[in-house]
Every structure is written in structure tokens, then in C-alpha cells.
Amino acid sequence: MLKAIYGKDKILMFRLLENAKKEKATKLALQTEHTLSYENNVDTTQTKDGAITSNGGIEVSLEINAIASHDEVNEMLKKSVIEQKVLECWEIDLAGDVQEEKYPAKYMQGKLESWEMPANVEDLAEISTTMKIDGIPQDGFATISKDQEKAILYAFRDVTIFDEKAETTGTEGHA
């Protein structure tokens, strides 16, 4: 039986490309929606024998919506627009088939073309932006550290007294 795909199971993680050798990617908090779009620019030329088409190249973009928060990722993304920095982005499928403790993912690089944050009196402030992707996203598998996993999904805790040291060593509740 086919398994439905839920949007809540796909998260985005980001990093400035220039920081690839010194930082881990970080999840954008409070994501509400994202859309990865592939668009093939097809040109049509009319001939006496009928229309013919030719490919003009594929364009990929990523539209992102999230509730705004005062965190480092929001600031980094906003500054990347202003400073025209290249970002790395991973779309990670938390419900996909995990292989060797890695999650299925799409990897892409590109630049954010805008940063918008309306502040309506009755609503939460929601950021929206579009990332123009260089080339075509590549399929692969992403490693999520225990710290990143905790930021994404809270981990199971036993009914015993919580011991942060034991949790990081994997011995929680085994005393």
C-alpha cells in the first residue's frame, strides 16, 4: 500500500556556504510551509508544419513561510538577502526510509531573493521568502545529530527523574 506524504515530515535546514567548514546546518524554527518548484521554460516556435518546442532550461525555486522568531537562523537568512550570500539548504524527509541512520534529503545551493515579514495586529508575524536554486537539487541522505534531532522532535523520556548527562550518553532511565 502506498504511504501518503505529509508536509509536516519535511523540514528545511540552512547554512551559509562560506561557513560549511565550521558550522552545522540549522533548522528554521516554526516553519509553516515550503514549496519546491521545478519550472521548465519551454519555447514554442510556429512553423508552416505546426508548432515545435524547445527547452529553455530548468529553473528551481524554494518558497518558504515560517512564523518569525528572534533566533540566529532568522537573522542569518535575512542578512543573506541583504549581503547576497549563497546558502546551502537541505529538505529532509523525516518519514522517509532511513539508511545507515541518515534521512532522505534534497541538497541545494542558492540565494534568497527577498525577505518579507508583515506584522498584522491580530496575527503572528510570518516571514516569507523565495530561494532561487543554482542548478538542480541533488538527492542523497543527511545525517542529523542528536542535538539537531532534539531541536526537531523531542526525544522520548522515561518516567524517572530527568538526568541531562544520562540523556546525552543514552543511559536515561537505566540507573
mmCIF file of all heavy atoms in Angstrom, residues 5 13-14 16 20 45 54-56 58 73 88 91 107 109 119 140 144-145 154 160:
data_model
loop_
_atom_site.group_PDB
_atom_site.id
_atom_site.type_symbol
_atom_site.label_atom_id
_atom_site.label_comp_id
_atom_site.label_asym_id
_atom_site.label_seq_id
_atom_site.Cartn_x
_atom_site.Cartn_y
_atom_site.Cartn_z
ATOM 1 N N ILE A 5 2.407 11.233 1.832
ATOM 2 C CA ILE A 5 3.462 12.143 2.278
ATOM 3 C C ILE A 5 2.806 13.324 2.984
ATOM 4 O O ILE A 5 1.919 13.973 2.423
ATOM 5 C CB ILE A 5 4.306 12.647 1.087
ATOM 6 C CG1 ILE A 5 4.991 11.470 0.395
ATOM 7 C CG2 ILE A 5 5.318 13.684 1.552
ATOM 8 C CD1 ILE A 5 5.669 11.854 -0.918
ATOM 9 N N MET A 13 16.717 22.778 6.551
ATOM 10 C CA MET A 13 17.876 23.185 7.335
ATOM 11 C C MET A 13 18.756 24.053 6.436
ATOM 12 O O MET A 13 18.835 23.812 5.226
ATOM 13 C CB MET A 13 18.631 21.966 7.853
ATOM 14 C CG MET A 13 17.780 21.138 8.809
ATOM 15 S SD MET A 13 18.656 19.751 9.541
ATOM 16 C CE MET A 13 19.555 20.577 10.832
ATOM 17 N N PHE A 14 19.414 25.037 7.044
ATOM 18 C CA PHE A 14 20.199 26.015 6.286
ATOM 19 C C PHE A 14 21.574 26.217 6.891
ATOM 20 O O PHE A 14 21.801 25.999 8.077
ATOM 21 C CB PHE A 14 19.496 27.386 6.295
ATOM 22 C CG PHE A 14 18.195 27.403 5.566
ATOM 23 C CD1 PHE A 14 17.012 27.152 6.237
ATOM 24 C CD2 PHE A 14 18.146 27.670 4.213
ATOM 25 C CE1 PHE A 14 15.800 27.168 5.573
ATOM 26 C CE2 PHE A 14 16.948 27.691 3.539
ATOM 27 C CZ PHE A 14 15.768 27.442 4.222
ATOM 28 N N LEU A 16 25.094 29.086 5.736
ATOM 29 C CA LEU A 16 25.810 29.877 4.738
ATOM 30 C C LEU A 16 26.887 28.997 4.124
ATOM 31 O O LEU A 16 27.608 28.299 4.857
ATOM 32 C CB LEU A 16 26.465 31.109 5.370
ATOM 33 C CG LEU A 16 25.546 32.264 5.766
ATOM 34 C CD1 LEU A 16 26.326 33.309 6.550
ATOM 35 C CD2 LEU A 16 24.887 32.883 4.547
ATOM 36 N N ALA A 20 30.583 26.381 5.704
ATOM 37 C CA ALA A 20 30.461 24.925 5.605
ATOM 38 C C ALA A 20 31.548 24.175 6.378
ATOM 39 O O ALA A 20 31.312 23.077 6.853
ATOM 40 C CB ALA A 20 30.468 24.490 4.144
ATOM 41 N N THR A 45 7.931 27.641 -31.215
ATOM 42 C CA THR A 45 8.142 28.345 -32.479
ATOM 43 C C THR A 45 7.127 27.818 -33.484
ATOM 44 O O THR A 45 6.999 26.606 -33.673
ATOM 45 C CB THR A 45 9.574 28.099 -33.013
ATOM 46 O OG1 THR A 45 10.509 28.507 -32.000
ATOM 47 C CG2 THR A 45 9.829 28.888 -34.291
ATOM 48 N N SER A 54 11.090 23.883 -27.848
ATOM 49 C CA SER A 54 12.492 23.693 -27.465
ATOM 50 C C SER A 54 12.629 24.088 -26.003
ATOM 51 O O SER A 54 11.920 24.959 -25.506
ATOM 52 C CB SER A 54 13.422 24.536 -28.347
ATOM 53 O OG SER A 54 13.132 25.910 -28.185
ATOM 54 N N ASN A 55 13.524 23.400 -25.318
ATOM 55 C CA ASN A 55 13.730 23.679 -23.905
ATOM 56 C C ASN A 55 14.610 24.906 -23.710
ATOM 57 O O ASN A 55 15.636 25.051 -24.365
ATOM 58 C CB ASN A 55 14.386 22.482 -23.210
ATOM 59 C CG ASN A 55 13.461 21.299 -23.131
ATOM 60 O OD1 ASN A 55 12.249 21.465 -23.085
ATOM 61 N ND2 ASN A 55 14.020 20.110 -23.111
ATOM 62 N N GLY A 56 14.189 25.743 -22.786
ATOM 63 C CA GLY A 56 14.957 26.927 -22.459
ATOM 64 C C GLY A 56 15.739 26.759 -21.171
ATOM 65 O O GLY A 56 16.370 27.682 -20.703
ATOM 66 N N ILE A 58 15.862 24.569 -17.100
ATOM 67 C CA ILE A 58 15.011 24.386 -15.926
ATOM 68 C C ILE A 58 15.381 25.386 -14.846
ATOM 69 O O ILE A 58 16.558 25.691 -14.659
ATOM 70 C CB ILE A 58 15.087 22.931 -15.411
ATOM 71 C CG1 ILE A 58 13.943 22.655 -14.465
ATOM 72 C CG2 ILE A 58 16.409 22.639 -14.747
ATOM 73 C CD1 ILE A 58 13.589 21.198 -14.368
ATOM 74 N N VAL A 73 18.935 31.721 13.067
ATOM 75 C CA VAL A 73 18.643 31.313 11.688
ATOM 76 C C VAL A 73 17.856 32.393 10.962
ATOM 77 O O VAL A 73 18.169 32.740 9.824
ATOM 78 C CB VAL A 73 17.900 29.959 11.636
ATOM 79 C CG1 VAL A 73 17.571 29.584 10.203
ATOM 80 C CG2 VAL A 73 18.732 28.877 12.287
ATOM 81 N N GLU A 88 23.330 27.104 1.681
ATOM 82 C CA GLU A 88 23.105 25.689 1.468
ATOM 83 C C GLU A 88 21.769 25.383 2.139
ATOM 84 O O GLU A 88 21.467 25.922 3.204
ATOM 85 C CB GLU A 88 24.184 24.846 2.131
ATOM 86 C CG GLU A 88 25.546 24.989 1.518
ATOM 87 C CD GLU A 88 26.560 24.132 2.253
ATOM 88 O OE1 GLU A 88 26.911 24.490 3.396
ATOM 89 O OE2 GLU A 88 26.972 23.109 1.679
ATOM 90 N N GLU A 91 16.333 19.817 2.262
ATOM 91 C CA GLU A 91 14.954 19.427 2.554
ATOM 92 C C GLU A 91 15.047 17.982 3.033
ATOM 93 O O GLU A 91 15.407 17.094 2.253
ATOM 94 C CB GLU A 91 14.058 19.522 1.316
ATOM 95 C CG GLU A 91 12.628 19.097 1.611
ATOM 96 C CD GLU A 91 11.796 18.936 0.360
ATOM 97 O OE1 GLU A 91 12.163 18.069 -0.479
ATOM 98 O OE2 GLU A 91 10.792 19.642 0.224
ATOM 99 N N TYR A 107 19.560 18.254 -1.433
ATOM 100 C CA TYR A 107 20.560 19.279 -1.122
ATOM 101 C C TYR A 107 20.560 20.297 -2.240
ATOM 102 O O TYR A 107 20.497 19.938 -3.430
ATOM 103 C CB TYR A 107 21.946 18.651 -1.000
ATOM 104 C CG TYR A 107 23.053 19.671 -0.899
ATOM 105 C CD1 TYR A 107 23.254 20.385 0.276
ATOM 106 C CD2 TYR A 107 23.868 19.933 -1.988
ATOM 107 C CE1 TYR A 107 24.263 21.327 0.371
ATOM 108 C CE2 TYR A 107 24.882 20.879 -1.897
ATOM 109 C CZ TYR A 107 25.080 21.574 -0.714
ATOM 110 O OH TYR A 107 26.065 22.513 -0.627
ATOM 111 N N GLN A 109 21.856 24.631 -3.340
ATOM 112 C CA GLN A 109 22.523 25.898 -3.048
ATOM 113 C C GLN A 109 21.824 26.991 -3.830
ATOM 114 O O GLN A 109 21.295 26.747 -4.914
ATOM 115 C CB GLN A 109 23.983 25.857 -3.479
ATOM 116 C CG GLN A 109 24.835 24.881 -2.722
ATOM 117 C CD GLN A 109 26.276 24.881 -3.202
ATOM 118 O OE1 GLN A 109 26.665 25.649 -4.086
ATOM 119 N NE2 GLN A 109 27.088 24.005 -2.624
ATOM 120 N N ALA A 119 3.583 42.535 9.733
ATOM 121 C CA ALA A 119 3.271 42.500 11.156
ATOM 122 C C ALA A 119 1.845 42.991 11.369
ATOM 123 O O ALA A 119 1.610 44.154 11.686
ATOM 124 C CB ALA A 119 4.268 43.347 11.941
ATOM 125 N N GLY A 140 20.058 12.669 -1.809
ATOM 126 C CA GLY A 140 21.047 11.962 -1.013
ATOM 127 C C GLY A 140 20.484 11.685 0.365
ATOM 128 O O GLY A 140 19.264 11.634 0.550
ATOM 129 N N ILE A 144 21.567 13.632 10.846
ATOM 130 C CA ILE A 144 21.023 14.568 11.830
ATOM 131 C C ILE A 144 21.607 14.178 13.178
ATOM 132 O O ILE A 144 21.420 13.057 13.638
ATOM 133 C CB ILE A 144 19.485 14.532 11.846
ATOM 134 C CG1 ILE A 144 18.949 14.999 10.492
ATOM 135 C CG2 ILE A 144 18.934 15.411 12.965
ATOM 136 C CD1 ILE A 144 17.449 14.984 10.384
ATOM 137 N N SER A 145 22.334 15.126 13.796
ATOM 138 C CA SER A 145 22.950 14.855 15.097
ATOM 139 C C SER A 145 21.874 14.754 16.177
ATOM 140 O O SER A 145 20.733 15.161 15.970
ATOM 141 C CB SER A 145 23.937 15.964 15.454
ATOM 142 O OG SER A 145 23.235 17.153 15.765
ATOM 143 N N TYR A 154 11.113 16.280 19.977
ATOM 144 C CA TYR A 154 11.604 15.992 21.314
ATOM 145 C C TYR A 154 11.747 14.492 21.474
ATOM 146 O O TYR A 154 11.006 13.706 20.918
ATOM 147 C CB TYR A 154 10.744 16.622 22.403
ATOM 148 C CG TYR A 154 9.282 16.250 22.381
ATOM 149 C CD1 TYR A 154 8.826 15.090 22.980
ATOM 150 C CD2 TYR A 154 8.358 17.094 21.782
ATOM 151 C CE1 TYR A 154 7.489 14.769 22.973
ATOM 152 C CE2 TYR A 154 7.025 16.768 21.769
ATOM 153 C CZ TYR A 154 6.583 15.602 22.372
ATOM 154 O OH TYR A 154 5.262 15.283 22.358
ATOM 155 N N THR A 160 11.420 8.303 35.017
ATOM 156 C CA THR A 160 12.362 8.545 36.103
ATOM 157 C C THR A 160 12.745 10.019 36.131
ATOM 158 O O THR A 160 12.399 10.785 35.239
ATOM 159 C CB THR A 160 13.626 7.693 35.912
ATOM 160 O OG1 THR A 160 14.223 8.044 34.664
ATOM 161 C CG2 THR A 160 13.286 6.217 35.926
#
